[in-house]
Amino acid sequence: MAEPSSFEARLTQAAEISTRLKKAIGTVLVGQAVVVDQVLWGIIAGGHVLLEGAPGLGKTLLVRTLASCLDLQFSRIQFTPDLMPSDVIGTNMLAMEQAGGARSFTLHKGPIFGQVILADEINRATPKTQSALLEAMQEHAVTIAGKRHVLDEPFFVLATENPIEMEGTYPLPEAQLDRFLLKVMVPNPTEDELTEILQRTTGHEMKPPEKVLAREEVLELRSLCRDVAVAEPVMRFAARFVGASEPGRKESPELIRKALRYGAGVRGAQSLILCAKAVAMLEGRAHVSFSDVQNVAMPALRHRLIRSFEGEADGITTDQVVAELVKTVPTRPEAVEAAVKKG
Amino acid sequence: MATDAGRFHELFERWARRVRTRMIVRQALTWTALGLLVGSLAALALWKTHQGALRPWMGAVGLVGLAAGAIIGARRRWTDMDVALYLDGRLDTDEVITTAVQMRNEAEADDEARAVVVRQAADALEKADPKKVRPPIFVGDHLLIPIAVAAIVLVARMPMPVRPLPAAPPGSDKVQLAQVEGLEKMAALGALSTPDEAQRERLKQLAERAKNLREKLRDGMERREALSEIAKLKDDVAAERLSLGDAERREGLEAAQGQLAKEPSLKDAAKALGDRDLTRFDEEMQKLANSQEKADRERAKKALEEAADAAKKNGAPDVARALEEEKKLLEERSKRNDALKDLAEGFGKDAPEDLKKDLEEMAEGGTDKDSRKLAKDLGDALEKLTPEERKRLGEKLREKAEKGGMAPMDKERLKDLAKKLATPEGQKQLEEELRKMANEDTESEESKKQGALEEGEKGLGEAEKQLGGGACPMPMPIPGGQQPGGPPGGDKGEKNGPPGSGKSPPGKADGDPGGPGSHHDTGKGDHKGGQTPEIDSKGFRSRASGKINSGAPMPGAVSGRTTGKPGDTAKLRGTGALGEVGPSEIGGVERSDIPEEYREQVGRYFSP
């Protein structure tokens, strides 16, 4: 990637790269444009993404295709109930030197030592194994036998989970979920999309997509994303948005007070701003708008909200709660909002 | 970069000033609307609580609102960030201006992103359409300003509401009327013009009293008091109606009446004058003015003149004035009627049907109303004439004038009419004159006054009715006696008691005892104890020429007040008992319309 001469040129280039990447993914994956966009936000913002959807919707295919498009080291971990933490992070193995017959421990790196990690069906592993990911996801490092090993950047985990077949699964604990920047729901394809899927998958095997993004370019995009400006009122809006998700607050909407036990918290606010920056950057803007924050609210917050018993009993989903927040939390001060509407 | 920053700063400051000023003005207007709304409600409350004088001042609350709005607007002045957010909202610029304003204050963050944001913000402001972006000064809330102002004006001009009556004490009968139409007629008497200063003053006082009563009724008063005041007003109006030639001027009135009665054509007019009915008197004079015989009119004029002289000599200047006015009017009316008739007759057989009918009515002794109608129809007929017809009419009038056998004055008049008809301009002038005549009010001043007083009296009757009074109470059955007006009993009157009292207890009655007035006293009893004292008077106290209830029996019971015409009854206030008796009133009972069987009784009643 050529060094852009100015910030604006870099922004334009970032937008072009994003278009290219989406196009490359589109050669393999049919539809799911929103899912691709959201995954892209996660990668650019430097976070991990949890993909949830029924089997066969292309979750794994998306991650594999993405890894193919990025010139990064790809690892796949198929989570099963008998998967051990060491299977994820690796372990020290006793090895015998052939010459002298001396024995020593050598590090056998687990699949976590990749750059794009596909944690497939993450909810099938035991919490113990799931927790093995915690340090890696948060610190971008693992500790094996007391020795800390820093993982190569860029590092991101793309986990998938299946909302059906819940028997024998271990729902991710809140602390684990919180590590994911975004939770992306993979919808069922439309009739047109399904028709095209059938055309592509029932013929000859297709060629893998070409690599469109090098490691440096990914790092550059992440850096550029951090440079995007956010005005104080927009930050305040994000804070107000997350604050309104706290059921204990008087100013929170009635639905939130009724349906939630815990709100989004600090990580939620951070993910809102980071993802909004990514959105702004991919649209070629050097600043974040209120609508950027509102657009990313759903994938950024839906997995951070913990429903109350009443909410669960009434079947209120966290998506409904976020939609309510988008509807009710004002962007501008009341007087300004009124003037904008009257004008 | 520096250029972009400077450009952005300049543009933003200009916009900020514009937005802030307009917001302050808008705020001031909103508070004005609020103030005026409060003011209008306060005015309404004042109206409701009968504090009418303060109502117009409630408009000042709007000014207080204006001042408060301006102060609040200035104190809650929008920050730069608020202005930027507003501009972003209006321009749909995804908060680029807001971000630029924030970055403008962070000089140390002189990064590349800042340059891009500031430049984009400056471009956005530069391209902004002022009409789209500037906040409107007037918003929907400001519609309240004209509405509230109109409400204040309306409330300020609204008549005060009727005060609610306090709880009436037991036994009282309060009445509250917002509108009493009848009293309005009385109030109109104040505007009546009469040559007599004293009378004008009296009429004004009557009108004032009626107005006071109206106000009191609006606030609520005892029904009994209201009816009593109306009855008093009725008495005073009746007295005023009959004030012509009253008291010491009565002799003058009688003298004038005597003079008029000498002239046969003025017999009815003399009677009307005697009754002080000047409206009828005027009508009689109108008929006379229309008389075919010129000699009659001349005699009538002379008689009027003599009557006026007689009135003057006998100390009744008001009567003399009325007669002189009538004489003058008689002359004018005669002249006018003659001219109209001449012109109408000039049409001959070709006259329109309306005109013929008018002439017939005039011949039957028409009044001013008929002559006005004739004038109007003549004007219309003239307007429709072709030039030939007009010429022919002129010729006819000229021929009639030259035929001879008429007074020089009449000749002149006919010639004048013919001359006018000779030219279209003259005809136009004639039409105008006729139209003027048709609308002319020729009623005499006295007649107008009389009419107004009659109206006032009627109005009082209506008011009385509205108050639930005025109806003649039914005669009360008297224990042991007959109903009033019933057949006389068989009492022979051989008991002590004043003659005619009818209260003698039944003696050897062979029938049921009668009630008061149902017995015919023969006067054969012992009259020592019931001697009627002699009245100390020069002559009769009243004239018994009562036309009341002609042909009908006298009422068995009389209650309330009557208008008090002479001869009605001498016991009630009116001119009968209180006025002087004129010479012509002697023997009045015999000449009156009183039924034969009552004459003796009435005559005894009035004898001194």
Side-chain angles (χ1 to χ4, degrees):
Chain A
M1 181 178 161
E3 193 67 24
S5 58
S6 71
F7 191 79
E8 213 163 9
R10 285 163 69 201
L11 281 174
T12 316
Q13 205 161 3
E16 278 170 15
I17 289 169
S18 139
T19 314
R20 243 173 32 223
L21 187 62
K22 280 192 264 184
K23 200 176 168 187
I25 293 169
T27 58
V28 177
L29 190 73
V30 177
Q32 311 288 15
V34 176
V35 176
V36 174
D37 275 345
Q38 290 177 351
V39 169
L40 214 54
W41 299 344
I43 293 167
I44 292 167
H48 312 289
V49 179
L50 175 63
L51 291 155
E52 187 179 295
L57 292 180
K59 298 185 293 290
T60 310
L61 178 66
L62 166 67
V63 179
R64 273 200 289 110
T65 312
L66 186 69
S68 308
C69 294
L70 304 175
D71 191 13
L72 298 171
Q73 194 185 334
F74 172 70
S75 305
R76 174 180 173 158
I77 310 166
Q78 183 64 51
F79 278 64
T80 54
D82 57 353
L83 189 75
M84 299 301 288
S86 56
D87 297 333
V88 175
I89 59 171
T91 185
N92 280 332
M93 300 280 286
L94 190 62
M96 191 162 59
E97 284 176 19
Q98 282 183 348
R103 291 178 185 177
S104 63
F105 282 104
T106 56
L107 178 65
H108 185 80
K109 289 181 180 176
I112 199 80
F113 285 88
Q115 285 171 309
V116 179
I117 313 296
L118 166 60
D120 213 5
E121 297 192 84
I122 193 170
N123 56 339
R124 295 213 169 271
T126 58
K128 186 181 177 183
T129 310
Q130 288 169 0
S131 297
L133 274 173
L134 278 175
E135 190 189 359
M137 286 169 74
Q138 184 65 31
E139 305 292 332
H140 289 212
V142 288
T143 304
I144 303 167
K147 193 178 175 190
R148 191 165 186 264
H149 301 273
V150 177
L151 301 172
D152 283 347
E153 289 296 338
F155 169 80
F156 52 88
V157 176
L158 295 165
T160 69
E161 69 175 2
N162 187 352
I164 55 173
E165 296 174 19
M166 295 300 282
E167 206 161 325
T169 62
Y170 303 89
L172 289 172
E174 279 77 22
Q176 179 76 44
L177 276 173
D178 209 27
R179 260 61 175 185
F180 287 101
L181 185 72
L182 298 169
K183 181 180 179 182
V184 177
M185 306 302 284
V186 183
N188 284 319
T190 61
E191 190 183 320
D192 288 345
E193 285 169 355
L194 189 57
T195 310
E196 201 176 334
I197 289 168
L198 291 174
Q199 278 173 355
R200 286 192 193 178
T201 53
T202 54
H204 291 289
E205 202 170 308
M206 291 176 70
K207 281 196 288 182
E210 58 183 30
K211 295 197 184 301
V212 291
L213 209 59
R215 176 180 173 271
E216 289 73 25
E217 284 175 319
V218 175
L219 292 174
E220 162 62 17
L221 285 177
R222 282 188 172 184
S223 163
L224 191 62
C225 177
R226 297 269 166 173
D227 283 343
V228 170
V230 187
E232 191 260 345
V234 180
M235 292 263 199
R236 199 166 281 280
F237 168 63
R240 202 162 47 239
F241 197 95
V242 169
S245 72
E246 290 296 332
R249 294 197 183 186
K250 275 184 185 173
E251 61 270 24
S252 300
E254 176 63 31
L255 183 75
I256 276 83
R257 279 187 279 150
K258 180 186 163 193
L260 292 188
R261 189 149 51 92
Y262 291 108
V266 178
R267 282 206 183 101
Q270 287 168 339
S271 68
L272 274 180
I273 292 296
L274 273 174
C275 293
K277 281 186 172 195
V279 171
M281 189 197 82
L282 290 175
E283 286 183 9
R285 279 188 278 115
H287 62 277
V288 173
S289 71
F290 291 123
S291 58
D292 293 335
V293 177
Q294 286 172 329
N295 287 344
V296 300
M298 197 67 86
L301 298 187
R302 60 159 65 107
H303 55 294
R304 299 175 204 276
L305 304 172
I306 298 169
R307 289 183 294 169
S308 64
F309 173 77
E310 202 180 349
E312 280 184 41
D314 289 350
I316 299 166
T317 63
T318 52
D319 280 12
Q320 281 174 303
V321 172
V322 177
E324 178 72 10
L325 286 170
V326 170
K327 206 167 76 183
T328 53
V329 178
T331 51
R332 303 175 185 88
E334 202 178 336
V336 178
E337 187 66 43
V340 169
K341 280 179 183 163
K342 272 184 187 173
Chain B
M1 168 70 199
T3 318
D4 283 339
R7 192 162 60 98
F8 171 73
H9 180 77
E10 194 185 314
L11 284 166
F12 181 76
E13 286 306 315
R14 195 192 310 156
W15 269 109
R17 254 196 318 276
R18 202 178 290 175
V19 169
R20 282 185 187 122
T21 310
R22 293 179 84 90
M23 291 309 294
I24 289 173
V25 174
R26 185 203 279 191
Q27 186 116 356
L29 286 174
T30 304
W31 277 81
T32 307
L34 197 68
L36 285 169
L37 184 70
V38 171
S40 60
L41 291 175
L44 197 66
L46 287 170
W47 174 80
K48 191 89 181 152
T49 52
H50 297 89
Q51 295 173 50
L54 290 171
R55 287 174 296 170
W57 292 101
M58 291 304 105
V61 183
L63 293 177
V64 174
L66 177 72
I71 292 166
I72 290 168
R75 291 189 72 167
R76 290 187 190 166
R77 187 172 167 270
W78 277 7
T79 61
D80 282 356
M81 206 56 99
D82 289 337
V83 175
L85 282 169
Y86 169 78
L87 291 171
D88 275 326
R90 296 295 303 152
L91 290 167
D92 288 329
T93 43
D94 288 326
E95 284 66 61
V96 68
I97 300 168
T98 309
T99 314
V101 166
Q102 179 164 327
M103 294 181 106
R104 184 178 67 163
N105 303 328
E106 294 166 359
E108 70 279 5
D110 193 14
D111 52 22
E112 289 178 316
R114 182 182 178 223
V116 173
V117 170
V118 168
R119 189 169 50 72
Q120 284 178 351
D123 289 346
L125 285 177
E126 211 163 53
K127 285 177 199 159
D129 176 11
K131 278 184 189 167
K132 189 188 166 195
V133 182
R134 67 186 174 204
I137 289 177
F138 297 104
V139 289
D141 303 348
H142 299 163
L143 272 177
L144 272 175
I145 294 175
I147 293 170
V149 168
I152 290 173
V153 171
L154 193 76
V155 172
R157 298 183 66 156
M158 216 153 60
M160 294 302 286
V162 175
R163 277 181 193 276
L165 278 178
S172 70
D173 179 16
K174 280 215 166 184
V175 63
Q176 190 170 29
L177 294 171
Q179 191 74 18
V180 189
E181 289 291 341
L183 291 177
E184 300 299 331
K185 291 176 184 171
M186 274 300 291
L189 285 181
L192 215 58
S193 73
T194 64
D196 186 353
E197 183 67 35
Q199 189 176 46
R200 200 157 53 234
E201 198 50 45
R202 285 198 304 275
L203 289 174
K204 265 186 193 169
Q205 277 174 10
L206 281 174
E208 278 307 309
R209 279 168 59 194
K211 282 179 193 168
N212 284 345
L213 180 60
R214 185 181 63 191
E215 292 305 315
K216 279 185 188 171
L217 278 169
R218 195 170 285 167
D219 293 342
M221 70 186 294
E222 276 286 334
R223 188 190 304 276
R224 181 176 45 77
E225 282 174 23
L227 285 171
S228 164
E229 178 61 19
I230 287 175
K232 281 179 200 164
L233 275 169
K234 271 174 114 174
D235 283 350
D236 292 344
V237 170
E240 201 56 59
R241 275 183 61 195
L242 301 167
S243 66
L244 186 80
D246 195 13
E248 68 273 9
R249 293 163 295 175
R250 190 180 181 88
E251 206 172 331
L253 176 75
E254 293 294 335
Q257 192 190 4
Q259 280 295 333
L260 287 178
K262 283 178 191 170
E263 171 56 42
S265 60
L266 290 174
K267 210 173 175 187
D268 288 342
K271 197 161 174 27
L273 183 68
D275 290 344
R276 295 173 175 83
D277 189 349
L278 289 179
T279 309
R280 192 149 57 84
F281 182 76
D282 195 49
E283 271 173 25
E284 290 299 329
M285 299 314 287
Q286 284 173 25
K287 284 180 193 167
L288 199 63
N290 194 30
S291 167
Q292 295 288 348
E293 297 303 324
K294 206 166 181 184
D296 284 353
R297 283 185 262 162
E298 288 306 319
R299 278 202 306 281
K301 257 191 264 176
K302 202 175 172 199
L304 277 172
E305 212 173 282
E306 284 166 4
D309 284 345
K312 222 180 271 175
K313 275 179 198 161
N314 288 287
D318 54 342
V319 178
R321 196 166 48 234
L323 291 169
E324 278 162 6
E325 193 195 351
E326 282 297 344
K327 187 197 152 215
K328 208 173 140 193
L329 278 172
L330 178 65
E331 283 169 2
E332 283 170 13
R333 283 167 179 156
S334 303
K335 214 183 277 179
R336 185 193 61 193
N337 290 352
D338 287 347
L340 289 172
K341 276 188 234 167
D342 285 343
L343 193 59
E345 280 162 4
F347 277 84
K349 287 175 187 171
D350 304 332
E353 280 308 308
D354 283 353
L355 218 53
K356 283 179 187 168
K357 206 174 161 194
D358 291 344
L359 269 174
E360 277 168 25
E361 274 166 13
M362 286 292 278
E364 283 164 14
T367 59
D368 271 9
K369 199 179 156 192
D370 298 319
S371 68
R372 278 204 297 270
K373 191 169 178 294
L374 177 63
K376 186 186 171 289
D377 290 344
L378 267 172
D380 293 344
L382 274 180
E383 204 176 5
K384 287 173 193 162
L385 283 183
T386 60
E388 287 73 34
E389 284 171 333
R390 179 166 47 81
K391 218 170 178 181
R392 225 169 23 241
L393 181 62
E395 285 302 317
K396 270 187 193 171
L397 291 174
R398 198 170 291 121
E399 278 168 23
K400 195 177 174 185
E402 283 163 5
K403 258 184 190 170
M406 49 171 63
M409 220 171 80
D410 294 346
K411 228 179 217 179
E412 276 306 306
R413 192 179 61 238
L414 283 172
K415 277 183 183 171
D416 185 45
L417 282 172
K419 197 177 164 191
K420 277 180 181 168
L421 282 168
T423 59
E425 292 77 30
Q427 183 193 347
K428 207 90 192 154
Q429 191 192 339
L430 195 57
E431 279 170 26
E432 284 302 312
E433 280 171 17
L434 287 167
R435 279 205 188 97
K436 207 173 154 192
M437 262 183 219
N439 296 320
E440 214 168 33
D441 180 15
T442 53
E443 198 180 2
S444 72
E445 285 299 322
E446 281 295 334
S447 172
K448 274 185 206 164
K449 187 191 83 188
Q450 196 91 7
L453 284 167
E454 271 174 28
E455 274 302 305
E457 208 169 13
K458 270 186 209 164
L460 286 170
E462 287 163 16
E464 204 170 33
K465 211 170 173 186
Q466 206 173 343
L467 282 163
C472 189
M474 291 298 288
M476 294 295 289
I478 296 160
Q482 275 194 335
Q483 289 297 318
D491 188 1
K492 302 293 179 203
E494 290 173 4
K495 294 286 168 188
N496 296 341
S501 71
K503 285 183 181 172
S504 48
K508 296 167 188 171
D510 49 8
D512 287 336
S518 63
H519 301 98
H520 185 72
D521 196 327
T522 56
K524 290 177 186 171
D526 180 5
H527 290 251
K528 282 172 194 168
Q531 189 70 41
T532 308
E534 200 167 298
I535 298 166
D536 183 19
S537 164
K538 288 176 189 169
F540 285 119
R541 302 293 291 178
S542 180
R543 193 170 70 93
S545 66
K547 279 194 80 181
I548 52 160
N549 297 331
S550 53
M554 290 284 275
V558 176
S559 63
R561 293 169 172 85
T562 69
T563 50
K565 281 183 181 173
D568 279 0
T569 166
K571 285 185 172 174
L572 297 174
R573 189 181 167 192
T575 52
L578 302 175
E580 292 294 316
V581 177
S584 66
E585 287 178 340
I586 296 169
V589 177
E590 297 309 316
R591 297 198 299 273
S592 73
D593 300 333
I594 299 171
E596 195 67 40
E597 63 266 34
Y598 293 117
R599 279 192 185 164
E600 189 194 342
Q601 194 180 351
V602 174
R604 250 202 326 277
Y605 184 81
F606 286 113
S607 63

